[in-house]
Amino acid sequence: EAQVTQNPRYLITVTGKKLTVTCSQNMNHEYMSWYRQDPGLGLRQIYYSMNVEVTDKGDVPEGYKVSRKEKRNFPLILESPSPNQTSLYFCASRNGGSPLHFGNGTRLTVT
Amino acid sequence: QQQVKQSPQSLIVQKGGIPIINCAYENTAFDYFPWYQQFPGKGPALLIAIRPDVSEKKEGRFTISFNKSAKQFSLHIMDSQPGDSATYFCAAQAGAGSYQLTFGKGTKLSVIP
C-alpha cells in the first residue's frame, strides 16, 4: 500500500530534550515536506526536500532541522524543543503531477 | 504574506445543505488549484482539483467553481452529509514543474443531522 509513515503518532517531551520524528514513504517520491498544523493558522511548511541531499527552508524553519540521506526518509529534528513547538506535525511527499500524500500526523507536546 | 485566503474559518450546515468554501489568490502564476479534505486524526487527502482552463469541475457531490478574472475559486458540497464533516484546505501551485503547494488556512465544516 502506498503510504507516508510517521513515527511516533504521539510524543510528550520536556523543554530542551532533543527529539526526532521519522518520516518514510514507499512511493519513490522525489519531493518530501514537513508541515505543522495549528488552530487558526492552517498548514505551515517547515522544510522541504526536492531530492536526496537537497533541502530548503519553508515558512517556519526556526528551531527545526531536517536531513535527506535516502530518498525514502526525511526525519524532522528538534534539537532543543520549546513549548511553542507544541503542534500537530505532518510529513508529505509527491512527484510532479501527482497529489501530495500526507502521513497521519505526529502530535507533539513540549512541556 | 498570505498568498491564498480562505473563508470562512468554520461552517455549520444542516444535512442536505450546500456549504460553500471560498478561496482567493493574488499570484497569477498559480495554475493548479487542489482541495484537500482532512478528517480528525488523519492527514489531509486530495479531494478534487482544477486548472484555470475550465470554470467548473464536478466529482460526485463536490464541485469546484473557478473565476480566473476575479482570482477566486470555491468548493461546493451538494446534499451535504454528516460524513462530510471535516476540515477543508484549498491550495494553489505555480507551474507544472513546481512541487510546492501554498495552502489556505482551512475551513472546519460541521454537517449536523
Side-chain angles (χ1 to χ4, degrees):
Chain A
E1 180 190 352
Q3 59 186 0
V4 177
T5 303
Q6 294 179 230
N7 281 298
R9 289 294 310 273
Y10 302 91
L11 181 57
I12 301 174
T13 190
V14 296
T15 300
K17 186 176 181 181
K18 180 179 178 180
L19 66 91
T20 299
V21 183
T22 64
C23 174
S24 180
Q25 50 94 5
N26 63 0
M27 296 167 280
N28 200 37
H29 285 166
E30 293 175 345
Y31 174 92
M32 297 186 74
S33 182
W34 277 102
Y35 297 87
R36 61 178 289 173
Q37 182 176 9
D38 302 288
L41 297 178
L43 294 163
R44 293 183 292 167
Q45 190 179 47
I46 303 170
Y47 270 94
Y48 65 97
S49 169
M50 295 297 291
N51 214 323
V52 175
E53 303 292 0
V54 181
T55 63
D56 211 341
K57 296 178 180 179
D59 299 317
V60 288
E62 294 78 20
Y64 304 94
K65 286 176 58 177
V66 292
S67 69
R68 188 93 183 273
K69 292 183 170 54
E70 306 165 280
K71 198 171 188 178
R72 63 183 292 126
N73 296 324
F74 191 44
L76 179 70
I77 303 155
L78 285 72
E79 296 262 353
S80 183
S82 62
N84 65 10
Q85 292 178 299
T86 292
S87 186
L88 179 58
Y89 292 86
F90 287 100
C91 180
S93 71
R94 73 182 297 200
N95 275 343
S98 75
L100 191 60
H101 292 261
F102 285 85
N104 281 329
T106 295
R107 186 166 293 280
L108 172 65
T109 301
V110 184
T111 61
Chain B
Q1 178 189 357
Q2 186 186 355
Q3 295 193 56
V4 178
K5 292 186 177 181
Q6 183 172 346
S7 63
Q9 189 171 357
S10 63
L11 187 55
I12 301 174
V13 300
Q14 289 220 300
K15 177 183 173 182
I18 305 176
I20 300 173
I21 304 170
N22 299 299
C23 287
Y25 64 96
E26 290 295 325
N27 187 351
T28 55
F30 287 148
D31 64 357
Y32 173 68
F33 302 90
W35 285 87
Y36 282 77
Q37 180 187 51
Q38 181 186 27
F39 293 109
K42 299 289 188 181
L46 179 68
L47 178 64
I48 185 173
I50 195 169
R51 294 197 181 273
D53 51 347
V54 296
S55 59
E56 186 176 281
K57 183 172 182 180
K58 182 183 272 192
E59 287 186 6
R61 295 183 293 106
F62 299 90
T63 299
I64 302 178
S65 297
F66 187 83
N67 185 331
K68 189 173 181 177
S69 61
K71 292 185 282 192
Q72 295 175 347
F73 57 110
S74 59
L75 177 70
H76 302 234
I77 306 175
M78 302 301 185
D79 187 28
S80 59
Q81 302 295 314
D84 297 329
S85 298
T87 299
Y88 293 82
F89 293 96
C90 63
Q93 174 181 309
S98 173
Y99 289 62
Q100 287 284 80
L101 288 176
T102 299
F103 285 93
K105 290 189 175 183
T107 297
K108 185 173 182 180
L109 171 66
S110 299
V111 181
I112 54 178

